[in-house]
Each structure stands twice: as C-alpha cells, then as structure tokens.
Amino acid sequence: MEPLLVFPDPPPADLVLVLDRAGYPWKAVNETSARNEPDDGWAGAIVCDWESGGGEEAFALCRALRKRDVPLEPLLLVVDPARLENLELREDLFDDFICAPLRAEEVEARLKHLFWRTGRGLRPELVEYGPLVLNLETYQASVGGRALDLTYMEYELLRFLATHPGRVFTRETLLSRVWGYEYYGGARTVDVHVRRLRAKLGEENAALISTVRSVGYRFGQPRWPA
C-alpha cells in the first residue's frame, strides 16, 4: 500500500501511534515537501490544522491536493474544536474531519470507512469493489473468487482505476499516472489494456470498466445518478 501523506512534519505523536498500530504506512511532509510524491503516489492524506500555524496552511495544502490532475483522496482533516466554524463552505477540500484530541478507535474507524468508500477495503493491503478484490502486497487479483491472470501493467491499470471508483479519467491521464510521465505510448495502449481487462474480468463483470464517450474510462458506478 502506498503511504499516507501526513501533515505537518513532524506529525502529532498520538497520530503516529494510531497509524503505526493500525499498520498504515505514512510519510510526514511540510508544505513544500508535499510536492515530493512517492513514485507510486499517495494512498490518501491526513492533514492536521491545529499544530500547523492556525489552520490556513492546512487548508492551503488541502486545496493544493484537490487541484491536482488527479485530486488526492481520501483526505481526513483533523481540526481543533475551537475552529469548527472554519469548516463552513470548505467541505470540498476534505472527505471527512475529526476533532482533536485524537481517539485511536475513532481515527481507525474513520480511516477504514474512508478507504472502504474509495474502494480500498477494510484492510490496508486490499482493494475491494463488489466482486473484485486486489491484494496490494501480493499483486494478486480475483473477481467473484476467481483468480485473474493479469500482466503487471494490466494489474497496475486495474489497481489505479479501482482505487478511484466513480471517477472518469482521460487516456492521457491514465498514461501518465499508470505508465509514467516518461512513457511515449499513445492512447491505443490504454484502449488495448482496457479491452484485455474486460475480457479477463469476464462478460458478467466487464461493465466494471465503462467507456465515457469522447473522454476516457470510469471504474464502477458514477458518483452522480444519471
């Protein structure tokens, strides 16, 4: 599993204790080092505002993470109860919030819920969406209990899509995020891999990856009903 982005650096000791005990890999950043994203990306973010100079730095970071080509999610915001009013009309900057002081059980429960909502399953090493299960530690995948024989890039494409359910990605974004910024392949590369994935998922589950005409591809159901 990719590490969680944790802000600020150093993070609160009680948050470190919770993450380590629950088995979530993490990496603390400050505002400038937040750009130094790991090669495999971030799994999500936990941004604390009460130890970061009044909250505006934290909100600025949330805004930057949301304005990326692929907005980072899930994003859990930790706030001082005295500054709850600062959250008004800023709900688009985070997926959930929690008040300090932290309670280990609540932090862990909220993280599990957020990862479940984004298709990551209840355990850090699993991505689960309907019949599909991806094991991030063993690079294995199954659908309906049936093991899938995927190439490395097929697995990486499926993992990326499944960890962002409901979102539409252009072929160019998928090329840069899955194959890497130095890959010079064309859009047909994405189309070929999607076609192979659909065939391996089987007719019953091929619709997990849908084509959005003139745009690209989406995994799972759209966020807004038709």
Side-chain angles (χ1 to χ4, degrees):
M1 182 182 186
E2 299 88 351
L4 283 165
L5 181 155
V6 175
F7 174 86
D9 184 15
D14 51 353
L15 177 59
V16 171
L17 186 63
V18 171
L19 294 177
D20 288 345
R21 192 182 70 172
Y24 288 99
W26 57 273
K27 181 179 180 181
V29 302
N30 55 41
E31 188 177 8
T32 54
S33 65
R35 301 187 185 96
N36 300 326
E37 183 170 348
D39 292 340
D40 292 333
W42 301 107
I46 302 177
V47 177
C48 306
D49 88 324
W50 86 97
E51 292 191 358
S52 58
E56 286 309 316
E57 288 184 27
F59 282 117
L61 178 59
C62 292
R63 192 175 297 108
L65 296 174
R66 291 301 211 194
K67 284 187 175 180
R68 302 172 357 149
D69 291 341
V70 181
L72 184 60
E73 62 178 10
L75 197 160
L76 177 65
L77 181 67
V78 185
V79 298
D80 186 322
R83 289 203 289 272
L84 278 175
E85 61 182 17
N86 292 349
L87 303 185
E88 187 175 2
L89 300 181
R90 292 187 173 183
E91 292 84 355
D92 58 321
L93 299 182
F94 52 87
D95 297 294
D96 196 3
F97 71 90
I98 187 171
C99 290
L102 298 174
R103 291 189 302 128
E105 295 79 6
E106 184 177 4
V107 173
E108 193 168 348
R110 287 181 185 271
L111 285 175
K112 285 181 177 179
H113 179 68
L114 285 173
F115 278 109
W116 179 83
R117 283 177 55 192
T118 54
R120 314 287 182 87
L122 296 179
R123 286 186 289 170
E125 73 274 17
L126 297 182
V127 173
E128 298 175 279
Y129 189 97
L132 178 69
V133 179
L134 299 176
N135 189 314
L136 303 180
E137 293 186 340
T138 64
Y139 288 81
Q140 292 175 306
S142 66
V143 62
R146 173 175 58 87
L148 297 177
D149 183 16
L150 304 178
T151 66
Y152 175 75
M153 292 312 302
E154 288 168 356
Y155 177 89
E156 286 295 296
L157 177 59
L158 185 58
R159 179 183 66 86
F160 181 81
L161 290 170
T163 51
H164 301 84
R167 296 192 52 183
V168 179
F169 294 98
T170 66
R171 293 170 175 82
E172 289 74 20
T173 298
L174 291 172
L175 279 173
S176 66
R177 297 291 296 185
V178 177
W179 276 263
Y181 290 98
E182 297 182 355
Y183 183 77
Y184 296 104
R188 178 169 166 72
T189 299
V190 177
D191 296 335
V192 169
H193 280 72
V194 167
R195 185 168 65 248
R196 290 174 178 168
L197 278 176
R198 285 171 170 160
K200 292 183 179 182
L201 288 169
E203 184 176 352
E204 184 178 352
N205 299 296
L208 282 172
I209 304 175
S210 57
T211 302
V212 180
R213 188 171 300 174
S214 301
V215 182
Y217 295 101
R218 176 183 59 230
F219 181 89
Q221 296 298 314
R223 293 189 170 188
W224 291 5

